[in-house]
């Protein structure tokens, strides 16, 4: 189903049970904030948990937290009045000195009060898992009386909304929201340090003081450094971290881009466990460029290449700005040539369920590679393609901030439907290449020929006469190709205005090509050209998986769910922005023949994967 699927499992398809349409969900994603502003109560915030962990302590991972505690409270206020009140009952024979069990007694809603409550105190009646004893006395034999125990207080079992099945210990939504925040959420995974992804977390740190351990903040080092320098610096906000003499309520966890190969094994190699049941691997992506030039933050682009590729609206801003307005001291204009254009770093996270090995992919804010000064998303697609073919990745969460009426010059590091479809065509092309490579390898093995792809000079070729394909650059070999005057990225070279000189659309900074960046998936691939500007020429190299002579792969992304987040509200009359964006995506996907599903995330809703 395409569109705004409400996201809950199908009937009879609860946690741990397989439904009629496939395996049971491995993930539940609760959408605290699906918007991209400007309203502060609906900006990016997700809660992710493995369904295998039930609602265990420390089992929830918060991915970005522009909107956070207020959204949790709002959900509880809506659904807590319909909760089931539970109260303890005593078995005739105490078990492990823990005689108290939870049983359902009455609904809290006015509708259920009229129906009364059950008087059946029999322990033989099957009860949900969350009615199990709260604790067991260790070392006490069954049947021994032990010291008398006070019965625990009655509790609330939620049976509607995204927190269905969660037992709450308090009477008010505010207190229960704080309980959830302090006990169930263990880690905050932050894509980048912009306020619409971080402000809720920063403000909510005031409620961390009653926890038994620091909250972890996990991110790439550039994001951690920004949070440390510009948020928890005793100026903007108290230093609540455990560094630089801080209070110690927050502990930083710096992730290794591309994964830490010293951790994990098999398919989970490189992933680091962030909370109970979930592990993560991070990649950096580009989120546009700053109006000024910097050497002190983000990734960088050579000044000459940046001048050639800068949109005209921003070049004009340079021409009209004084040196002081641009951040340079008087008399230091020569310093401009030594500085480089600042590219905002964001992140994409592969989140892995440790029980099933299944994964989801969550993007922070990201711009299209076709117009980026530092195109890096192709590396993420290369990693994702292998997982899609293996059947472990079936959902990705990605922004689409504007509809197609937004010009490229005013995207400000975001995506519109034309660009998102072009990016997905690159992914589809890579999926087709992995499948073709697997098929070629299998055929070569059957014939006793060498069908293993080998890397050579920044390309992937097949031995024994298998067709050689030029691969899409994912950051590997950019420097060498740039020196030879080649253009390793789609969109080719752009002519520098007024000079007749051409600059390759590629970064030269070593910081943009992390050590250990993996090569392309086995099988190689032709260079994909997703087009530039309006994005209508996406994937001109052709998607091998849409070859009409290959009906088995006619829909390369079939079974992949694309959940749209970070939709910006234009604050105008007319249909909601999400509906407009969805309609445009569906129309363009139909033309592209990708086969993926689209849905627009709904604030307060949930997605099951």
């Amino acid at each position: 189903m395409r569109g705004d699927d409400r996201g809950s499992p199908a009937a009879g398809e609860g946690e741990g049970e397989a439904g009629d349409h496939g395996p049971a969900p491995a993930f539940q994603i609760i959408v605290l904030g699906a918007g991209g502003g400007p309203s502060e109560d609906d900006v990016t915030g997700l809660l992710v948990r493995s369904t295998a962990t039930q609602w265990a302590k420390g089992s929830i991972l918060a991915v970005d937290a522009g909107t956070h505690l207020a959204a949790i409270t709002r959900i509880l206020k809506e659904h807590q009045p319909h909760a089931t009140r539970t109260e303890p009952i005593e078995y005739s024979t105490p078990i492990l000195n823990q005689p108290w069990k939870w049983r359902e007694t009455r609904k809290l809603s006015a509708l259920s009060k009229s129906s009364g409550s059950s008087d059946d105190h029999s322990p033989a009646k099957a009860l949900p898992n969350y009615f199990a004893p709260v604790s067991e006395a260790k070392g006490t034999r069954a049947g021994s009386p032990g010291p008398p125990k006070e019965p625990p207080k009655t509790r609330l079992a939620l049976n509607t909304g995204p927190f269905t099945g969660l037992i709450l210990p308090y009477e008010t939504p505010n207190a229960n929201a704080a309980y959830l925040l302090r006990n169930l959420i263990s880690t905050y995974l932050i894509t980048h340090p912009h306020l619409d992804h971080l402000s809720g977390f920063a403000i909510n740190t005031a409620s961390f003081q009653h926890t038994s351990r620091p909250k972890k903040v996990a991110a790439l080092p550039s994001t951690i450094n920004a949070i440390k320098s510009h948020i928890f610096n005793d100026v903007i906000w108290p230093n609540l971290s455990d560094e630089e003499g801080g209070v110690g309520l927050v502990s930083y966890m710096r992730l290794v881009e591309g994964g830490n190969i010293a951790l994990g094994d098999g398919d989970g190699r490189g992933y680091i466990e962030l909370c109970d049941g979930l592990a993560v691997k991070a990649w950096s992506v580009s989120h546009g460029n700053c109006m000024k030039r910097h050497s002190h933050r983000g990734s960088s682009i050579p000044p000459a290449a940046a001048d050639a590729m800068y949109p005209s609206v921003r070049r004009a801003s340079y021409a009209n700005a004084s040196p002081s307005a641009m951040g340079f001291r008087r008399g230091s204009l020569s310093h401009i040539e030594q500085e480089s254009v600042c590219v905002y770093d964001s992140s994409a996270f592969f989140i892995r369920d440790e029980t099933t090995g299944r994964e989801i992919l969550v993007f922070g804010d990201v711009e299209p590679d076709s117009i980026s000064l530092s195109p890096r998303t192709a590396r993420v697609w290369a990693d994702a393609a292998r997982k899609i073919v293996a059947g472990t990745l079936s959902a990705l969460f990605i922004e689409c901030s504007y509809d197609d009426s937004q010009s490229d010059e005013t995207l400000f590091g975001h995506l519109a439907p034309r660009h998102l479809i072009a990016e997905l065509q690159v992914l589809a092309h890579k999926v087709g290449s992995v499948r073709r490579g697997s098929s070629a390898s299998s055929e070569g093995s059957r014939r006793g020929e060498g069908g293993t792809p080998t890397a050579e000079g920044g390309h992937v070729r097949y031995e024994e006469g298998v067709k050689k394909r030029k691969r899409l650059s994912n950051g590997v070999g950019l420097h060498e190709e740039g020196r030879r005057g080649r253009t390793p990225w789609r969109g080719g070279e752009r002519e520098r205005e007024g000079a007749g000189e051409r600059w390759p659309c590629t970064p030269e900074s070593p910081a943009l090509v992390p050590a250990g960046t993996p090569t392309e998936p086995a099988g190689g691939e032709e260079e994909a050209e997703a087009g530039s500007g309006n994005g209508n020429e996406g994937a001109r190299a052709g998607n091998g998986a849409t070859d009409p002579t290959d009906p088995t792969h006619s829909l390369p992304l079939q079974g992949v769910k694309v959940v749209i987040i970070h939709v910006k509200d234009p604050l105008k009359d007319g249909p909601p922005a999400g509906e407009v964006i969805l309609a445009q995506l569906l129309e363009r996907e139909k033309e592209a023949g990708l086969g993926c599903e689209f849905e627009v995330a709904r604030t307060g809703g949930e997605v099951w994967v």
Side-chain angles (χ1 to χ4, degrees), residues 289-292 306-321 371 406-413 497:
N289 49 279
C290 183
M291 295 290 289
K292 299 180 181 180
D307 283 342
M309 294 181 288
Y310 237 61
S312 58
V313 64
R314 294 190 180 181
R315 284 198 300 270
S317 69
Y318 272 93
N320 297 328
I371 62 175
Q406 196 83 1
S407 67
D408 287 351
E409 288 78 13
T410 56
L411 284 175
F412 304 116
E497 289 188 2

Side-chain angles (χ1 to χ4, degrees), residues 56-106:
K57 182 177 181 179
S59 63
I60 296 179
L61 174 67
V63 182
D64 284 339
T67 295
H68 195 56
L69 181 59
I72 296 173
T73 305
R74 191 161 54 240
I75 293 172
L76 293 180
K77 285 182 177 179
E78 178 182 354
H79 295 284
Q80 186 170 313
H82 307 288
T84 299
R85 184 173 294 281
T86 64
E87 65 183 26
I89 60 175
E90 186 174 4
Y91 289 138
S92 56
T93 303
I95 300 176
L96 292 176
N97 198 31
Q98 180 58 54
W100 301 103
K101 287 279 187 177
W102 295 106
R103 75 175 180 86
E104 182 177 322
T105 59
R106 62 185 181 276

Side-chain angles (χ1 to χ4, degrees), residues 61 84 97 122 125 173 193 226 252 267 306 326 339 355 368 442 538 544 554 604:
L61 174 67
T84 299
N97 198 31
S122 170
K125 185 177 180 180
Y252 296 127
D267 292 337
M326 295 174 60
E339 294 282 6
T355 301
S442 300
S554 59

